[in-house]
Amino acid sequence: KAGVTQTPRYLIKTRGQQVTLSCSPISGHRSVSWYQQTPGQGLQFLFEYFSETQRNKGNFPGRFSGRQFSNSRSEMNVSTLELGDSALYLCASSITSGRALSPYNEQFFGPGTRLTVL
Amino acid sequence: TQLLEQSPQFLSIQEGENLTVYCNSSSVFSSLQWYRQEPGEGPVLLVTVVTGGEVKKLKRLTFQFGDARKDSSLHITAAQPGDTGLYLCAGDGGATNKLIFGTGTLLAVQP
């Protein structure tokens, strides 16, 4: 079956602009989590969406937001971009929203969207 | 705040050599996972260790969870160029589907 897909794969924006990234989970998966990966901070949790509701949020400013649609596809938005927002944004899908390391709820990651802010 | 420190940060070895990567924390984790991330891809789950002292083997990879469940190691025997990638340990972030990732170990295996 098809894996997690993310679009676009690469994006270049300038400071002050906003950006929307898209994630399509594996068919049948209802939870989508977003992560930011940078060389300095590593992989950090942004938020999780399940049944169109945000379940958890990491320690990021309000400029980072997201939503989930009824077909489980998710989008994340970053407004007023800053240079420090340059990163690889990864989404992960899982069957349900539950204990993170449960063997019955493995998270599958997409290839990411590489965002560069100039 | 739970932190997972990995060492070494970088490792460059020749094909056929053995290596060990460490993942340490001051906090107790109920379980830990190991992922490998290749360039241009997202992390892929390798293993989950859930019991203190547990050892799991995946072909040439051996994973161990510390008795106190504060640390874990990954040992690769006879490394191959295909093992090249970023190795990440991850623990439960205390909320649904929230993973806390380690600082990462970038492995390069030269042919």
Side-chain angles (χ1 to χ4, degrees):
Chain A
K1 61 183 174 184
V4 178
T5 57
Q6 292 187 243
T7 56
R9 291 294 308 274
Y10 301 92
L11 208 46
I12 299 176
K13 293 286 187 179
T14 56
R15 278 181 300 174
Q17 289 186 310
Q18 74 167 17
V19 67
T20 299
L21 312 181
S22 179
C23 173
S24 293
I26 292 171
S27 177
H29 285 196
R30 296 170 58 201
S31 170
V32 174
S33 299
W34 289 87
Y35 291 82
Q36 181 196 64
Q37 186 174 28
T38 61
Q41 299 299 317
L43 259 163
Q44 293 185 293
F45 175 83
L46 279 158
F47 30 63
E48 181 210 6
Y49 283 87
F50 176 75
S51 291
E52 303 177 62
T53 302
Q54 186 180 90
R55 294 295 302 271
N56 302 297
K57 192 176 194 303
N59 190 25
F60 281 83
R63 300 185 297 105
F64 291 82
S65 62
R67 60 177 177 169
Q68 187 180 35
F69 302 94
S70 59
N71 62 356
S72 296
R73 189 177 70 85
S74 178
E75 290 181 344
M76 70 162 280
N77 183 278
V78 188
S79 63
T80 319
L81 284 166
E82 301 177 359
L83 295 179
D85 297 333
S86 293
L88 180 67
Y89 290 88
L90 294 158
C91 79
S93 78
S94 60
I95 290 174
T96 187
S97 179
R99 191 167 65 87
L101 277 69
S102 166
Y104 309 106
N105 196 38
E106 180 181 344
Q107 294 193 50
F108 294 84
F109 285 82
T113 294
R114 172 74 62 186
L115 172 64
T116 301
V117 182
L118 303 175
Chain B
T1 303
Q2 296 175 307
L3 292 174
L4 288 167
E5 297 283 340
Q6 289 185 237
S7 61
Q9 191 175 358
F10 302 101
L11 198 51
S12 180
I13 62 172
Q14 295 295 124
E15 183 176 359
E17 292 184 17
N18 301 332
L19 67 117
T20 302
V21 175
Y22 299 93
C23 172
N24 294 291
S25 174
S26 58
S27 304
V28 174
F29 283 89
S30 57
S31 54
L32 281 177
Q33 293 181 325
W34 284 92
Y35 290 79
R36 179 171 65 215
Q37 184 178 18
E38 299 183 16
E41 300 296 330
V44 174
L45 179 64
L46 296 173
V47 77
T48 303
V49 285
V50 298
T51 306
E54 180 178 9
V55 177
K56 279 192 174 179
K57 292 192 175 185
L58 185 65
K59 297 183 181 178
R60 295 175 293 100
L61 278 60
T62 301
F63 304 85
Q64 186 162 7
F65 199 13
D67 290 340
R69 305 205 314 275
K70 291 183 177 182
D71 58 271
S72 181
S73 64
L74 157 60
H75 182 80
I76 301 179
T77 303
Q80 299 178 0
D83 295 326
T84 292
L86 178 67
Y87 288 82
L88 295 155
C89 61
D92 191 329
T96 57
N97 283 355
K98 179 180 178 180
L99 293 170
I100 289 185
F101 282 91
T103 49
T105 295
L106 187 59
L107 171 66
V109 183
Q110 312 296 335

